[in-house]
Amino acid sequence: MARWRGNFEQDLGKLIRRITGFEEHEENIKVCEQFALSNLKYHRFLDVDSHKVTRALNGVCEKFKIHSRCSKAESLRSLAEEFLATPAFEGRDHGKTDTHYSLLSLLLLLADAPIYSDYEGRTVEVLTQVEDEFDWSGHLLEGEHASVYQFYDEDSSDFSDEDIVYKEVQACDKTHTGNDSSKSEDQIRAASPLMFEDTVALPISEELGLYEGEEWLVRNVVRQYWRGLNTGGSISGCYRASNLASDWEHYQQLTNPLYRPHMVLTETELMREAIWMLSGVSDLFVFMYDGENFSLNNDVIISHLTSQCLEQNLKDIMVTGARIKALNEFLDWVAENSYCSIISQTYQAFSGAVLTFLGNFQKHLTAQERNIIRQEETMTLFRLCAELTTWLPRIKLVHSIYKCGVDQSLDTNSQRASQLLSVLFQSVLEYDTIGSDAADMIDVLLTLWLKTSKPYITFVDDWITNGVLIDPMKEFIVQRNETVKLLDENFWETAFTLHVSQSESPNRTSSGPVETRAGQSSQSPSVECWAPKFLHPVMRDIILAGKSMEMLQNLGRLADVVGKKDDIFYRAKPLYDIFLQSLEESLGHIPQDHKTRTVESKPMVIFNQQIEKQMLMEGVYDPLLQINFQTMFSWGNRGEPEPQQEKNAEKTASLQPLELILQRCLYPPVRLKYQNVCLKLVQILKEEYHLMEYLSMMKLFFLMEAGDTMLDFYTPIFDKIRLFEPWHNVSTVNLILHKALEEHYPEERNRLTVEVDTENQTFRYPINSTDCMKLRYKVPWPVNMIVSSRTQDIYNQIFNFLLQVKRAKYCLDELRFCDLQNDNILKTLSCGEDTFSSSLEKTVPRAGRIHRMQILRMRLLFFVNCLHNYIMTRILHSTGLEFKKEMEHAADLDEIIALHDKYVNTIHERCLLHKKVEFLKEAITKVLNLSLSFQMKWDQGVDEISSKAISDMETEFSRCVQFLSSFLNNIIKRGSFPHLESLAFALVTSNQHTTKPF
């Protein structure tokens, strides 16, 4: 299908109204427009098949013949052939293009019963040109004497350039002596006899005494000095100073037989060569190019300057010529490789800006060359250098931008584009600090930066406005990772990666997911290194807005943020145009193609008539002095600034600081788009995909906030473990879970399951036997990007720890005093009295052991209850309230993911599950495991418990509590973790009890 253009909506509406007859206000017209627009935009159509169109056309002609419409068939065929042969489309000089066949196919499809319609062919009137028989030449030449001209025969092969000898004009003698004007025709013929032999007989001017044709040749034909043709005579003047070069040349030839004479050039010839060099020409006679720099030809001199002085005056121009040559080579390289992937659009835009800049400079050079050709005013080498004074630093600046910004050693196009844009932006800021003195430089740099940054800003605009990341040359810093599928839970983190090289320097990170997390840096180090500098403050907003647009497109809700609901033909204004409009309002003007502010060179102002008359007086006349006076007056007038120049200078001076102006013009539209897109995505996730409900379910089950339901779940399991019954069956555990959910949360039975993994589990303590259970909650996409499997693993670690606390608490709560005094229910009763029981009875009284067991139970229960209350209230509840409050103010999905990860990690850390506080977790685990051991001793009965076993449990408990309380108190004194204060106070209280011996 042909490329879609955005200006066909109105024509489409007219076509629908013409075919259907619906009015504009009817509802059906909107339905038809939406259907047609959707098909045109999102459906693909094959290109026209010329063979099918030809067969259809032949079929219509054949049908005409069958129905005896031969004239219509012949007319149709002839008109079709004439139309196909007309070269009118696609810029080609021949017919039969796809556009021709497309139009024919459209006409054939629109044809409605062509057989039954009448047709009358149009007659084309051919206008015959009336010849004018009036003799205009005789009328115009009436009364004039005809001049006789003789021309060379075109077939003559003996004619050559050497057959014509041009008359040498002695300019200095003609100016000062005037002897040339008195030469007769015979003298001229004698001096140049070949000029008048078998050549054109030119008319003679009686007043001047010269042949007009010869005078024209002398003025307009340049001698071929590049071929070694020197002047026909010596250059001499009325002053000795003007003949210094010729005298020195004559002396060198007389004294040195091996001396090779120099080519003496005029300033006009030298200036024209300099202009050609500045135009980018390298094959010159005066200036030699070695591939990098220009140098002056040693065989060339001018009559009034030494070689060293001439080279010194032309040094800046030669350096500038080398810079222009380098810029032209860059432009040629971009033009030759513009269709390759190595040339980014940013480079192409920069080359276009440089080409425009050099084009303006070329116009200036053309104007100077035209002045030299006209010879209406005095042009010297010094004046040419003065005319180029304002351009040389600009060319130097553009060349320095090219040398620093165009770095081919970088690996990827994204790095090259970012390097060029950053160098341009940094240069704009540096010259902006200088102030009004660098106004012209700022105009040059600002124009280059605006044009060069257009492709990059367009990438950003397409991504955050239309949800499409079109980057054919891979120069944008972010790229789409095609290996990540749509419904992947890691889509948000891995769908877009950085466009940086795989081998980074040590101070740069390798390419990876673009991650932005709350509490961390807004961009990864790679983004900071390779993103264009002017986009650093909003790079995070751009990435998040683009990823949110991708999410909305995948959710089918892209229309909510693209366009308007009541106007399907609405198209948002491009970000680049908004930026330029805002910049123009802030600056008052925008440099367009760098129209230079320098004043055009005016004609020389001749000083007043009194000074001129005095200069022409006999004995006072000095042509060199007259030239100096004219130059002085001309420069005096040229130094006065124009009003428009002063106005522009005032505007530029009021632009401080330029960085803030650019930020105010570019950043607000980007941030506004970021807010609209990201807030819309967050709203959809919360309202339509029930994000908060799923997070609430995670807290209810994994963090056991649903106390009654989870009590029904873990109580049967703890009972089976206490009675040494098998419970590791997955079906049994899931059946217990579903029974617990049936009463309060029946709709969650299909989502929440339990996995039991006993193969890879090694238990250090009996309290860890429940760690093999893992809860799995099925979260649909896109909520699973927030509640991912990685996050559920952290939830399960917290769940297992809570299950250990719940088990220890349950074991201590289920102990009964009567069970302690009874006999061991697992021990086989014997008729006789056990010797071990009798020995215990003799050493330690039975009542004393019962009392110590009861006290130890209360101490353990107090510790476990304090730990349980600390976790459920101070950690889970308080942290949950903070998380809920932060979620209400979340602005984007990245912040939601960051807040949820922070919430889960905070609970994980405060439950002492982090590796840094593993030693504290070890002490708490010992106490919890001691509760299980104590419960087993309790079930055996007091008669099976020795005083030593009770003392060992009391000692271990006291040591663990003493360690925890002392460590936590030291932390609290520093004020590091205030949430541990309640737990530390409870541990100190439980440690104050001392057991008295009985």
PDB file of all heavy atoms in Angstrom, residues 11-34:
ATOM      1  N   ASP A  11     -11.552  14.229   2.397  1.00  0.00           N
ATOM      2  CA  ASP A  11     -11.978  13.624   1.128  1.00  0.00           C
ATOM      3  C   ASP A  11     -12.716  12.313   1.366  1.00  0.00           C
ATOM      4  O   ASP A  11     -13.666  11.978   0.646  1.00  0.00           O
ATOM      5  CB  ASP A  11     -10.762  13.382   0.242  1.00  0.00           C
ATOM      6  CG  ASP A  11     -10.077  14.682  -0.141  1.00  0.00           C
ATOM      7  OD1 ASP A  11     -10.766  15.727  -0.170  1.00  0.00           O
ATOM      8  OD2 ASP A  11      -8.871  14.647  -0.406  1.00  0.00           O
ATOM      9  N   LEU A  12     -12.282  11.547   2.367  1.00  0.00           N
ATOM     10  CA  LEU A  12     -12.965  10.301   2.689  1.00  0.00           C
ATOM     11  C   LEU A  12     -14.391  10.562   3.164  1.00  0.00           C
ATOM     12  O   LEU A  12     -15.335   9.868   2.773  1.00  0.00           O
ATOM     13  CB  LEU A  12     -12.173   9.548   3.769  1.00  0.00           C
ATOM     14  CG  LEU A  12     -12.756   8.205   4.227  1.00  0.00           C
ATOM     15  CD1 LEU A  12     -12.779   7.227   3.070  1.00  0.00           C
ATOM     16  CD2 LEU A  12     -11.922   7.635   5.367  1.00  0.00           C
ATOM     17  N   GLY A  13     -14.571  11.606   3.983  1.00  0.00           N
ATOM     18  CA  GLY A  13     -15.924  11.950   4.426  1.00  0.00           C
ATOM     19  C   GLY A  13     -16.813  12.372   3.266  1.00  0.00           C
ATOM     20  O   GLY A  13     -17.995  11.995   3.192  1.00  0.00           O
ATOM     21  N   LYS A  14     -16.267  13.156   2.334  1.00  0.00           N
ATOM     22  CA  LYS A  14     -17.057  13.567   1.165  1.00  0.00           C
ATOM     23  C   LYS A  14     -17.446  12.366   0.311  1.00  0.00           C
ATOM     24  O   LYS A  14     -18.575  12.275  -0.197  1.00  0.00           O
ATOM     25  CB  LYS A  14     -16.253  14.560   0.336  1.00  0.00           C
ATOM     26  CG  LYS A  14     -16.007  15.903   1.028  1.00  0.00           C
ATOM     27  CD  LYS A  14     -15.187  16.818   0.138  1.00  0.00           C
ATOM     28  CE  LYS A  14     -14.905  18.148   0.822  1.00  0.00           C
ATOM     29  NZ  LYS A  14     -14.081  19.048  -0.030  1.00  0.00           N
ATOM     30  N   LEU A  15     -16.515  11.414   0.146  1.00  0.00           N
ATOM     31  CA  LEU A  15     -16.802  10.229  -0.645  1.00  0.00           C
ATOM     32  C   LEU A  15     -17.909   9.395   0.001  1.00  0.00           C
ATOM     33  O   LEU A  15     -18.811   8.894  -0.701  1.00  0.00           O
ATOM     34  CB  LEU A  15     -15.526   9.400  -0.803  1.00  0.00           C
ATOM     35  CG  LEU A  15     -15.638   8.089  -1.596  1.00  0.00           C
ATOM     36  CD1 LEU A  15     -16.059   8.379  -3.031  1.00  0.00           C
ATOM     37  CD2 LEU A  15     -14.327   7.317  -1.571  1.00  0.00           C
ATOM     38  N   ILE A  16     -17.859   9.257   1.317  1.00  0.00           N
ATOM     39  CA  ILE A  16     -18.901   8.465   2.003  1.00  0.00           C
ATOM     40  C   ILE A  16     -20.254   9.142   1.878  1.00  0.00           C
ATOM     41  O   ILE A  16     -21.282   8.486   1.618  1.00  0.00           O
ATOM     42  CB  ILE A  16     -18.495   8.267   3.478  1.00  0.00           C
ATOM     43  CG1 ILE A  16     -17.258   7.376   3.574  1.00  0.00           C
ATOM     44  CG2 ILE A  16     -19.628   7.663   4.271  1.00  0.00           C
ATOM     45  CD1 ILE A  16     -16.694   7.239   4.956  1.00  0.00           C
ATOM     46  N   ARG A  17     -20.298  10.467   2.054  1.00  0.00           N
ATOM     47  CA  ARG A  17     -21.581  11.162   1.928  1.00  0.00           C
ATOM     48  C   ARG A  17     -22.106  11.114   0.503  1.00  0.00           C
ATOM     49  O   ARG A  17     -23.320  11.041   0.280  1.00  0.00           O
ATOM     50  CB  ARG A  17     -21.400  12.613   2.376  1.00  0.00           C
ATOM     51  CG  ARG A  17     -21.210  12.775   3.885  1.00  0.00           C
ATOM     52  CD  ARG A  17     -21.338  14.229   4.323  1.00  0.00           C
ATOM     53  NE  ARG A  17     -20.245  15.030   3.792  1.00  0.00           N
ATOM     54  CZ  ARG A  17     -19.078  15.195   4.410  1.00  0.00           C
ATOM     55  NH1 ARG A  17     -18.862  14.609   5.575  1.00  0.00           N
ATOM     56  NH2 ARG A  17     -18.135  15.959   3.876  1.00  0.00           N
ATOM     57  N   ARG A  18     -21.195  11.108  -0.475  1.00  0.00           N
ATOM     58  CA  ARG A  18     -21.629  11.063  -1.875  1.00  0.00           C
ATOM     59  C   ARG A  18     -22.192   9.689  -2.233  1.00  0.00           C
ATOM     60  O   ARG A  18     -23.183   9.571  -2.970  1.00  0.00           O
ATOM     61  CB  ARG A  18     -20.449  11.410  -2.777  1.00  0.00           C
ATOM     62  CG  ARG A  18     -20.803  11.515  -4.250  1.00  0.00           C
ATOM     63  CD  ARG A  18     -21.730  12.696  -4.507  1.00  0.00           C
ATOM     64  NE  ARG A  18     -22.038  12.825  -5.922  1.00  0.00           N
ATOM     65  CZ  ARG A  18     -21.307  13.554  -6.767  1.00  0.00           C
ATOM     66  NH1 ARG A  18     -20.250  14.202  -6.311  1.00  0.00           N
ATOM     67  NH2 ARG A  18     -21.634  13.631  -8.038  1.00  0.00           N
ATOM     68  N   ILE A  19     -21.587   8.621  -1.701  1.00  0.00           N
ATOM     69  CA  ILE A  19     -22.025   7.268  -2.044  1.00  0.00           C
ATOM     70  C   ILE A  19     -23.270   6.878  -1.258  1.00  0.00           C
ATOM     71  O   ILE A  19     -24.244   6.341  -1.819  1.00  0.00           O
ATOM     72  CB  ILE A  19     -20.884   6.265  -1.790  1.00  0.00           C
ATOM     73  CG1 ILE A  19     -19.715   6.557  -2.746  1.00  0.00           C
ATOM     74  CG2 ILE A  19     -21.357   4.845  -1.963  1.00  0.00           C
ATOM     75  CD1 ILE A  19     -18.507   5.682  -2.516  1.00  0.00           C
ATOM     76  N   THR A  20     -23.259   7.145   0.066  1.00  0.00           N
ATOM     77  CA  THR A  20     -24.366   6.676   0.914  1.00  0.00           C
ATOM     78  C   THR A  20     -25.529   7.649   0.957  1.00  0.00           C
ATOM     79  O   THR A  20     -26.664   7.239   1.221  1.00  0.00           O
ATOM     80  CB  THR A  20     -23.851   6.433   2.332  1.00  0.00           C
ATOM     81  OG1 THR A  20     -23.332   7.661   2.873  1.00  0.00           O
ATOM     82  CG2 THR A  20     -22.740   5.389   2.334  1.00  0.00           C
ATOM     83  N   GLY A  21     -25.288   8.911   0.756  1.00  0.00           N
ATOM     84  CA  GLY A  21     -26.360   9.893   0.845  1.00  0.00           C
ATOM     85  C   GLY A  21     -26.687  10.312   2.263  1.00  0.00           C
ATOM     86  O   GLY A  21     -27.672  11.026   2.493  1.00  0.00           O
ATOM     87  N   PHE A  22     -25.853   9.892   3.253  1.00  0.00           N
ATOM     88  CA  PHE A  22     -26.099  10.282   4.632  1.00  0.00           C
ATOM     89  C   PHE A  22     -25.723  11.742   4.845  1.00  0.00           C
ATOM     90  O   PHE A  22     -24.838  12.272   4.180  1.00  0.00           O
ATOM     91  CB  PHE A  22     -25.286   9.414   5.596  1.00  0.00           C
ATOM     92  CG  PHE A  22     -25.697   7.959   5.578  1.00  0.00           C
ATOM     93  CD1 PHE A  22     -24.751   6.966   5.745  1.00  0.00           C
ATOM     94  CD2 PHE A  22     -27.010   7.589   5.399  1.00  0.00           C
ATOM     95  CE1 PHE A  22     -25.102   5.635   5.735  1.00  0.00           C
ATOM     96  CE2 PHE A  22     -27.380   6.259   5.379  1.00  0.00           C
ATOM     97  CZ  PHE A  22     -26.426   5.274   5.540  1.00  0.00           C
ATOM     98  N   GLU A  23     -26.412  12.377   5.783  1.00  0.00           N
ATOM     99  CA  GLU A  23     -26.087  13.745   6.143  1.00  0.00           C
ATOM    100  C   GLU A  23     -24.966  13.754   7.181  1.00  0.00           C
ATOM    101  O   GLU A  23     -24.717  12.740   7.850  1.00  0.00           O
ATOM    102  CB  GLU A  23     -27.314  14.473   6.694  1.00  0.00           C
ATOM    103  CG  GLU A  23     -28.441  14.625   5.691  1.00  0.00           C
ATOM    104  CD  GLU A  23     -28.057  15.495   4.503  1.00  0.00           C
ATOM    105  OE1 GLU A  23     -27.184  16.377   4.696  1.00  0.00           O
ATOM    106  OE2 GLU A  23     -28.618  15.305   3.407  1.00  0.00           O
ATOM    107  N   GLU A  24     -24.336  14.902   7.361  1.00  0.00           N
ATOM    108  CA  GLU A  24     -23.165  14.980   8.233  1.00  0.00           C
ATOM    109  C   GLU A  24     -23.517  14.789   9.694  1.00  0.00           C
ATOM    110  O   GLU A  24     -22.726  14.272  10.475  1.00  0.00           O
ATOM    111  CB  GLU A  24     -22.469  16.331   8.027  1.00  0.00           C
ATOM    112  CG  GLU A  24     -21.131  16.435   8.752  1.00  0.00           C
ATOM    113  CD  GLU A  24     -20.394  17.704   8.389  1.00  0.00           C
ATOM    114  OE1 GLU A  24     -20.966  18.478   7.584  1.00  0.00           O
ATOM    115  OE2 GLU A  24     -19.284  17.892   8.896  1.00  0.00           O
ATOM    116  N   HIS A  25     -24.725  15.190  10.105  1.00  0.00           N
ATOM    117  CA  HIS A  25     -25.092  15.100  11.510  1.00  0.00           C
ATOM    118  C   HIS A  25     -25.636  13.739  11.895  1.00  0.00           C
ATOM    119  O   HIS A  25     -25.939  13.497  13.066  1.00  0.00           O
ATOM    120  CB  HIS A  25     -26.145  16.184  11.823  1.00  0.00           C
ATOM    121  CG  HIS A  25     -27.426  16.033  11.021  1.00  0.00           C
ATOM    122  ND1 HIS A  25     -27.545  16.580   9.743  1.00  0.00           N
ATOM    123  CD2 HIS A  25     -28.579  15.391  11.308  1.00  0.00           C
ATOM    124  CE1 HIS A  25     -28.764  16.290   9.284  1.00  0.00           C
ATOM    125  NE2 HIS A  25     -29.405  15.566  10.214  1.00  0.00           N
ATOM    126  N   GLU A  26     -25.850  12.828  10.935  1.00  0.00           N
ATOM    127  CA  GLU A  26     -26.406  11.527  11.251  1.00  0.00           C
ATOM    128  C   GLU A  26     -25.374  10.638  11.931  1.00  0.00           C
ATOM    129  O   GLU A  26     -24.166  10.796  11.753  1.00  0.00           O
ATOM    130  CB  GLU A  26     -26.909  10.854   9.971  1.00  0.00           C
ATOM    131  CG  GLU A  26     -28.093  11.565   9.331  1.00  0.00           C
ATOM    132  CD  GLU A  26     -28.613  10.834   8.112  1.00  0.00           C
ATOM    133  OE1 GLU A  26     -28.222   9.655   7.922  1.00  0.00           O
ATOM    134  OE2 GLU A  26     -29.406  11.413   7.391  1.00  0.00           O
ATOM    135  N   GLU A  27     -25.869   9.663  12.679  1.00  0.00           N
ATOM    136  CA  GLU A  27     -24.980   8.769  13.400  1.00  0.00           C
ATOM    137  C   GLU A  27     -24.307   7.759  12.469  1.00  0.00           C
ATOM    138  O   GLU A  27     -23.183   7.339  12.674  1.00  0.00           O
ATOM    139  CB  GLU A  27     -25.764   8.026  14.478  1.00  0.00           C
ATOM    140  CG  GLU A  27     -24.893   7.120  15.363  1.00  0.00           C
ATOM    141  CD  GLU A  27     -25.708   6.440  16.439  1.00  0.00           C
ATOM    142  OE1 GLU A  27     -26.927   6.693  16.492  1.00  0.00           O
ATOM    143  OE2 GLU A  27     -25.124   5.657  17.204  1.00  0.00           O
ATOM    144  N   ASN A  28     -25.023   7.405  11.386  1.00  0.00           N
ATOM    145  CA  ASN A  28     -24.458   6.412  10.461  1.00  0.00           C
ATOM    146  C   ASN A  28     -23.204   6.921   9.769  1.00  0.00           C
ATOM    147  O   ASN A  28     -22.321   6.137   9.406  1.00  0.00           O
ATOM    148  CB  ASN A  28     -25.512   6.033   9.410  1.00  0.00           C
ATOM    149  CG  ASN A  28     -26.668   5.264  10.030  1.00  0.00           C
ATOM    150  OD1 ASN A  28     -26.473   4.541  11.007  1.00  0.00           O
ATOM    151  ND2 ASN A  28     -27.871   5.410   9.493  1.00  0.00           N
ATOM    152  N   ILE A  29     -23.142   8.227   9.547  1.00  0.00           N
ATOM    153  CA  ILE A  29     -21.978   8.765   8.853  1.00  0.00           C
ATOM    154  C   ILE A  29     -20.719   8.577   9.692  1.00  0.00           C
ATOM    155  O   ILE A  29     -19.637   8.290   9.185  1.00  0.00           O
ATOM    156  CB  ILE A  29     -22.207  10.263   8.504  1.00  0.00           C
ATOM    157  CG1 ILE A  29     -21.123  10.728   7.541  1.00  0.00           C
ATOM    158  CG2 ILE A  29     -22.234  11.132   9.730  1.00  0.00           C
ATOM    159  CD1 ILE A  29     -21.218  10.111   6.187  1.00  0.00           C
ATOM    160  N   LYS A  30     -20.832   8.700  11.033  1.00  0.00           N
ATOM    161  CA  LYS A  30     -19.677   8.492  11.899  1.00  0.00           C
ATOM    162  C   LYS A  30     -19.240   7.032  11.898  1.00  0.00           C
ATOM    163  O   LYS A  30     -18.056   6.728  11.899  1.00  0.00           O
ATOM    164  CB  LYS A  30     -19.989   8.946  13.324  1.00  0.00           C
ATOM    165  CG  LYS A  30     -20.224  10.441  13.450  1.00  0.00           C
ATOM    166  CD  LYS A  30     -20.425  10.831  14.903  1.00  0.00           C
ATOM    167  CE  LYS A  30     -20.619  12.351  15.036  1.00  0.00           C
ATOM    168  NZ  LYS A  30     -20.817  12.752  16.440  1.00  0.00           N
ATOM    169  N   VAL A  31     -20.213   6.125  11.884  1.00  0.00           N
ATOM    170  CA  VAL A  31     -19.881   4.698  11.846  1.00  0.00           C
ATOM    171  C   VAL A  31     -19.145   4.359  10.552  1.00  0.00           C
ATOM    172  O   VAL A  31     -18.133   3.648  10.540  1.00  0.00           O
ATOM    173  CB  VAL A  31     -21.158   3.856  11.988  1.00  0.00           C
ATOM    174  CG1 VAL A  31     -20.833   2.370  11.848  1.00  0.00           C
ATOM    175  CG2 VAL A  31     -21.834   4.127  13.319  1.00  0.00           C
ATOM    176  N   CYS A  32     -19.645   4.897   9.431  1.00  0.00           N
ATOM    177  CA  CYS A  32     -18.994   4.636   8.141  1.00  0.00           C
ATOM    178  C   CYS A  32     -17.581   5.232   8.111  1.00  0.00           C
ATOM    179  O   CYS A  32     -16.636   4.610   7.599  1.00  0.00           O
ATOM    180  CB  CYS A  32     -19.842   5.215   7.008  1.00  0.00           C
ATOM    181  SG  CYS A  32     -21.438   4.388   6.797  1.00  0.00           S
ATOM    182  N   GLU A  33     -17.428   6.432   8.648  1.00  0.00           N
ATOM    183  CA  GLU A  33     -16.113   7.063   8.644  1.00  0.00           C
ATOM    184  C   GLU A  33     -15.117   6.295   9.498  1.00  0.00           C
ATOM    185  O   GLU A  33     -13.966   6.108   9.112  1.00  0.00           O
ATOM    186  CB  GLU A  33     -16.230   8.502   9.134  1.00  0.00           C
ATOM    187  CG  GLU A  33     -16.883   9.438   8.144  1.00  0.00           C
ATOM    188  CD  GLU A  33     -17.042  10.845   8.681  1.00  0.00           C
ATOM    189  OE1 GLU A  33     -16.781  11.045   9.881  1.00  0.00           O
ATOM    190  OE2 GLU A  33     -17.433  11.735   7.909  1.00  0.00           O
ATOM    191  N   GLN A  34     -15.563   5.834  10.669  1.00  0.00           N
ATOM    192  CA  GLN A  34     -14.668   5.060  11.528  1.00  0.00           C
ATOM    193  C   GLN A  34     -14.270   3.747  10.872  1.00  0.00           C
ATOM    194  O   GLN A  34     -13.121   3.308  10.940  1.00  0.00           O
ATOM    195  CB  GLN A  34     -15.327   4.808  12.873  1.00  0.00           C
ATOM    196  CG  GLN A  34     -15.499   6.060  13.728  1.00  0.00           C
ATOM    197  CD  GLN A  34     -16.213   5.778  15.027  1.00  0.00           C
ATOM    198  OE1 GLN A  34     -16.589   4.639  15.285  1.00  0.00           O
ATOM    199  NE2 GLN A  34     -16.421   6.813  15.837  1.00  0.00           N
TER     200      GLN A  34
END
